[in-house]
Structure formats: C-alpha cells, structure tokens
C-alpha cells in the first residue's frame, strides 16, 4: 500500500478539518474505504477530504462527525472553514477545482443559460433580480468570468449543454439582455468543443424534470455529478447516482433539437429582438 499523504493542518481550515478527520478515523480503526462505505461514498472521496482536495457538504460533515464520535468538533471546524473561505463556500470551491480538471463537461439547465455560456450582462441581471448586494455581485461575476476561460484554453474540455426552451423564452422578455446573451451564445457554439442543444416546449414532459445538474469526467477520479440548490451545491461520485444521471441525460438528448437547429433557433430569436 502507498504511504498516506502527509497533512499540513496549518495550511488552511480545510486542511485542519482533513487532519481531524484522519485522526478520528484512525482512532476508530477504520480505513478510508470502510468509512466511505459506511457513508455510501468511496475511499478516495474520504482521502481527498483528508488532504483538502475536496470539501464536504454540510450533510457529509454531520455524518462524519456522528460516525467517528467527534462530538461536534468536525461540524465546528467545517463551519469556520466555510466562514473564512473568502466569501466563497467550500462546496463551490470543490466543484470549481473539478470543473477546471475535467476533460468533458455535460450539463442541463431548465431555467437559465448554463454558467459557462453566460455573458456578463446576463450574469449581472440574474444577481440583481435576486437582490444580491452590489459588492458581492462584482466578486461573483469576476469569478465566473475567470472560469469561462475553460472553454477557450488550449486543452479545453468537451462541453455539452442542454438548455430548456423556457430559459430562452424568459430571456427574450428583456431585449437588450437577450441581444447580448444570444450573440454570445452564437459565438460560443462556433467553438469545436462546445455543443449546445435545446429541449423545445413541444417536447412536453421529459426525463430531467427534476432539475439542473452537471456531469464531469475528471482524469484519475472518474465521473462525478454536481447539483446546486439556492444555498448549497453537492458533488457525488457514487457510481449508482452518477449512472442514473447519465441515463437521464441520454434520454433527455433524445428530445432535443440538433446543434444546427438549435443555432438556427437562436438566430431567429436574435432577429426578433432587433
């Protein structure tokens, strides 16, 4: 067996959390695989948390604390790690790292344009409608714009996006924003690594009515899924969960317009905003 990676508890609060997690795990006489299995996760997931490569969500923190008898110490450490993470929650940092390392990204969005395909004007109007403070909007927009280089960098991943037509119908209610966003989309779909498909309204109910998700293919870590709510996002490498999301995504694509027809639809919508 390879030697366990050295931990540096002083590097960050998440590194401290990882060190505590390893301490309590070893005290309980559990391997990473055993602890992962107890929580319906994998040993590699536990290992990545111990080395601060991944940050667990609130539910996993509570499960770790209870299973290892940490008496609230793991919960308190995770709370402060999130609070001190420069206004960016740990769960999102985990996703951003996986996204940056992915060789293929597949996503479905029922209500909005996918994040990596959003133009700045669209980003800002969404945040303003949510009454996010101006200073926070500037920070979040800056971070999202920096993430967008993933689509144009030299080793850019394959990016497959399915968007529901309802997101486009809402968009065209604001013509200036629609013009900027539709023009941006038409520029991006010309990239060889970007595929955009639309689920038309006439498709009716479809296989992904449950909501948005992202599927990531990360070298060395396999397939994982990401789903985001209003307050928290969650990543999973559970093989059964990932397989189910992949199956739903394949069924969804059976109802989409082809990339060419989707692009024509975008051009038609753009002409209608003139």
């Amino acid at each position: 067996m390879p030697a366990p990676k050295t931990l540096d508890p002083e590097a960050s609060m998440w590194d401290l959390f990882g060190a505590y997690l390893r301490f309590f795990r070893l005290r309980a006489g559990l391997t990473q695989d055993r602890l992962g299995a107890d929580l319906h996760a994998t040993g590699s997931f536990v290992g990545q948390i111990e080395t601060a490569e991944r940050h667990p969500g609130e539910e996993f923190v509570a499960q770790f604390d209870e299973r290892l008898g940490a008496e609230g110490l793991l919960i308190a450490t995770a709370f402060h790690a999130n609070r001190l993470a420069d206004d960016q929650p740990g769960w999102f940092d985990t996703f951003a790292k996986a996204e940056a390392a992915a060789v293929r990204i597949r996503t479905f969005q029922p209500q909005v344009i996918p994040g990596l395909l959003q133009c700045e004007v669209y980003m800002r109007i969404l945040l303003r409608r949510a009454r996010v403070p101006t200073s926070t909007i500037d920070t979040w927009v800056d971070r999202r714009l920096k993430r967008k280089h993933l689509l144009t960098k030299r080793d850019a991943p394959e990016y497959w996006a399915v968007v529901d037509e309802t997101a486009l119908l809402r968009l065209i209610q604001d013509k200036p924003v629609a013009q900027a966003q539709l023009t941006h989309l038409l520029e991006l779909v010309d990239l060889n690594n970007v595929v955009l498909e639309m689920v038309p309204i006439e498709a009716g109910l479809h296989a992904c009515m449950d909501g948005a998700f992202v599927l990531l293919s990360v070298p060395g870590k396999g397939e994982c899924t990401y789903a985001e709510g209003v307050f928290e996002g969650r990543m999973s490498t559970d093989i059964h969960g990932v397989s189910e999301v992949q199956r739903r995504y394949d069924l969804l694509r059976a109802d989409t317009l082809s990339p060419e027809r989707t692009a024509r639809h975008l051009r038609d919508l753009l002409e209608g905003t003139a």
Side-chain angles (χ1 to χ4, degrees):
M1 287 183 62
K5 293 183 179 179
T6 301
L7 306 183
D8 182 6
E10 297 181 2
S12 72
M13 284 297 294
W14 281 116
D15 285 275
L16 178 61
F17 179 90
Y20 278 144
L21 179 61
R22 179 175 290 181
F23 170 79
F24 285 116
R25 176 178 63 78
L26 293 176
R27 188 185 69 169
L30 300 174
T31 64
Q32 292 176 345
D33 287 338
R34 180 65 263 170
L35 177 57
D38 287 349
L39 302 184
H40 305 290
T42 64
S44 62
F45 174 73
V46 175
Q48 289 161 14
I49 293 174
E50 290 183 358
T51 55
E53 296 175 62
R54 299 183 68 168
H55 302 164
E58 184 178 342
E59 182 179 344
F60 265 115
V61 170
Q63 290 176 349
F64 280 134
D65 195 273
E66 180 179 3
R67 176 65 181 86
L68 298 175
E71 299 184 357
L73 181 58
L74 290 176
I75 294 173
T77 305
F79 170 80
H80 290 292
N82 278 318
R83 184 173 62 85
L84 297 174
D86 191 25
D87 295 328
Q88 180 154 304
W91 54 263
F92 182 81
D93 184 55
T94 299
F95 167 70
K97 288 180 181 178
E99 180 186 60
V103 295
R104 183 174 59 172
I105 302 171
R106 290 169 289 172
T107 185
F108 167 63
Q109 292 290 340
Q111 297 292 339
V112 297
I113 306 300
L116 291 181
L117 301 182
Q118 294 177 6
C119 69
E120 183 173 351
V121 173
Y122 183 74
M123 295 177 195
R124 289 185 178 279
I125 194 67
L126 288 179
L127 293 170
R128 284 203 297 270
R129 293 292 169 83
R131 302 296 178 92
V132 175
T134 301
S135 59
T136 302
I137 288 177
D138 292 339
T139 299
W140 288 0
V141 168
D142 181 63
R143 286 172 176 162
R144 182 165 291 181
L145 289 173
K146 288 179 179 177
R147 284 171 54 216
K148 285 169 62 65
H149 85 284
L150 293 173
L151 298 182
T152 55
K153 65 180 183 176
R154 171 177 290 184
D155 54 344
E158 294 179 18
Y159 186 80
W160 295 69
V162 175
V163 63
D164 200 293
E165 188 177 5
T166 54
L168 299 174
L169 294 176
R170 290 186 184 280
L171 171 64
I172 61 175
Q173 301 307 308
D174 190 325
K175 288 190 176 182
V177 177
Q179 288 172 351
Q181 182 60 63
L182 291 169
T183 299
H184 187 62
L185 283 174
L186 287 167
E187 291 171 352
L188 290 175
V189 296
D190 277 341
L191 297 175
N192 289 333
N193 58 307
V194 174
V195 176
L196 177 64
E197 298 170 317
M198 184 189 78
V199 185
I201 291 292
E202 56 263 30
L205 301 178
H206 54 72
C208 295
M209 298 297 297
D210 294 342
F213 60 82
V214 181
L215 280 163
L216 300 169
S217 301
V218 183
K221 297 182 181 179
E223 301 287 327
C224 57
T225 63
Y226 171 78
E228 185 174 318
V230 176
F231 299 110
E232 184 178 16
R234 179 172 180 178
M235 290 191 64
S236 173
T237 56
D238 175 71
I239 187 170
H240 301 295
V242 171
S243 295
E244 176 60 16
V245 174
Q246 290 175 326
R247 187 182 73 84
R248 297 279 195 97
Y249 185 76
D250 289 341
L251 288 171
L252 174 68
R253 291 196 59 224
D255 287 326
T256 64
L257 300 184
S258 69
E260 293 75 18
R261 290 183 63 192
T262 297
R264 286 201 299 271
H265 188 69
L266 294 178
R267 285 192 288 269
D268 290 342
L269 290 175
L270 182 57
E271 290 177 6
T273 66

